[in-house]
Amino acid sequence: MIVILKQNPNRDQLDSLVSWLQEKGVIIHTSIGEAHTILGLVGDTSKLDIDLIAALDIVQDVKRVQEPYKNANRKFHPEDTVIPVGNTQIGGGNLTIMAGPCSVESEEQVVAIAQAVKASGATMLRGGAFKPRTSPYAFQGLGAKGLEYLKTARAETGLPIVTELMDVTQLPLFKDVDVIQIGARNMQNFDLLKAVGHQEKPVMIKRGMSATYEEWLMSAEYVMASGNNNVILCERGIRTFESYTRNTLDVAAIPVLRTLTHLPVIIDPSHATGKYWLVEPLARAAVAAEADGLQIEVHNDPAHALCDGPQSLKPEVFAPLARKLLELHAFMKGLDS
Ligand code: PEP
Ligand code: MN
């Protein structure tokens, strides 16, 4: 349920409404916007008398929220969520460009790629240290050592790092990363979602391969219900009948999520297509559809990459793409203003 307050509500009346609601056992999330303050009520609201609340002096309107996700719902929080990361911000009209290798392979590799993507305009460094691989015989990532190399690359370039957490037991190692990525395969690992919800680092949840918007938003809800509101959603392609591309990029996710939620939306055209030459057109499509950012795999030697070489861009291919994406983003902002 949401309670929309009139402008400049009387403080005493507001305090007594809040304590009365709390006595009824509901949790209240207050969202202060430019025009209105909204109280989002989570818990069993079935026994609350809507007409009684609506009749209060300070209340403009009361609505039931049908969707099962509450904290992630735009009705609860009409303004876009903006997440500060290092000296950049995700959301709020910025174009975040996360770039880097699929997997961290060595310190030299990740530092060289970080320097190259930074010079081209990337705002964050991606790289997997713990890798979820389909085959147990494939390279599984460098683990804790990979995280150390990422931190070295951050120290060299100033780029904040985003890297995947696969298991709750690894969480202590992630204390010093900037954004924790929850991979597509773990989107519904509810214990993992609760664990990252109990700490405060931003969490980027990649869409499960067959997840609906609602299931995906419920994963965000798990993190938020545990106390962490810094959640980012990343569309990385879904499984369809089409097998030419690795997955099918759901560009509609951008405007749909914009309506359903206030959380920032990132697009990953690399995993969505599996082919390096499809990254540019889909990245452009994402920016044109007003995504908050992109996650793009870049490798200095894709032919010998230990993971996802066929979808990785060389730094010299990424550089003009990043420039074009920033220009397109500026153009899109101009159209709206
Ligand atoms: C990745 O980003 O390296 C990755 C494994 O992505 P996804 O979880 O989307 O497959
Ligand atoms: Mn990859």
Side-chain angles (χ1 to χ4, degrees), residues 98 126 181-184 187 204-213 216 232-240 247-257 263-273 282-283 286 289 291-296:
M98 306 172 175
R126 69 142 285 144
Q181 177 170 315
I182 301 296
M187 191 203 83
M204 183 168 82
I205 307 177
K206 299 192 91 174
R207 183 182 189 176
M209 292 179 205
S210 60
T212 63
Y213 297 133
W216 191 10
I232 303 145
L233 300 167
C234 177
E235 158 66 32
R236 43 77 74 207
I238 49 174
R239 272 274 162 92
T240 67
N247 292 292
T248 297
L249 182 66
D250 179 13
V251 182
I254 304 163
V256 171
L257 291 173
L263 300 173
V265 180
I266 301 289
I267 294 291
D268 169 356
S270 307
H271 292 90
T273 61
L282 293 190
D292 294 294
L294 293 147
Q295 192 187 51
I296 296 177

Side-chain angles (χ1 to χ4, degrees), residues 133-302:
R133 303 304 300 277
T134 302
S135 166
Y137 308 117
F139 175 59
Q140 304 287 305
L142 296 181
K145 205 165 225 141
L147 292 180
E148 290 310 311
Y149 297 159
L150 280 168
K151 288 180 211 165
T152 307
R154 176 176 61 193
E156 294 281 330
T157 59
L159 290 179
I161 50 185
V162 50
T163 190
E164 178 167 351
L165 170 72
M166 282 176 56
D167 191 88
V168 183
T169 56
Q170 298 155 355
L171 194 51
L173 295 171
F174 280 64
K175 272 204 295 283
D176 202 22
V177 310
D178 298 288
V179 174
I180 297 176
Q181 177 170 315
I182 301 296
R185 292 155 190 82
N186 266 318
M187 191 203 83
Q188 286 189 315
N189 181 336
F190 300 118
D191 285 337
L192 192 58
L193 297 172
K194 285 184 207 166
V196 294
H198 286 129
Q199 55 85 61
E200 42 191 44
K201 293 215 171 296
V203 177
M204 183 168 82
I205 307 177
K206 299 192 91 174
R207 183 182 189 176
M209 292 179 205
S210 60
T212 63
Y213 297 133
E214 187 166 296
E215 286 164 341
W216 191 10
L217 288 167
M218 288 310 285
S219 295
E221 192 71 16
Y222 258 94
V223 177
M224 299 174 89
S226 301
N228 186 351
N229 289 317
N230 293 321
V231 178
I232 303 145
L233 300 167
C234 177
E235 158 66 32
R236 43 77 74 207
I238 49 174
R239 272 274 162 92
T240 67
F241 54 83
E242 182 55 71
S243 58
Y244 183 84
T245 46
R246 184 174 177 182
N247 292 292
T248 297
L249 182 66
D250 179 13
V251 182
I254 304 163
V256 171
L257 291 173
R258 200 61 84 217
T259 309
L260 300 180
T261 182
H262 50 90
L263 300 173
V265 180
I266 301 289
I267 294 291
D268 169 356
S270 307
H271 292 90
T273 61
K275 297 184 196 299
Y276 74 91
W277 57 275
L278 286 173
V279 170
E280 170 152 352
L282 293 190
R284 288 180 185 229
V287 175
E290 301 189 65
D292 294 294
L294 293 147
Q295 192 187 51
I296 296 177
E297 286 188 343
V298 177
H299 197 283
N300 49 345
D301 184 9

Side-chain angles (χ1 to χ4, degrees), residues 102 126 131 271 297 307-308 311:
C102 177
R126 69 142 285 144
K131 294 301 305 174
H271 292 90
E297 286 188 343
C307 184
D308 287 349
Q311 68 194 33

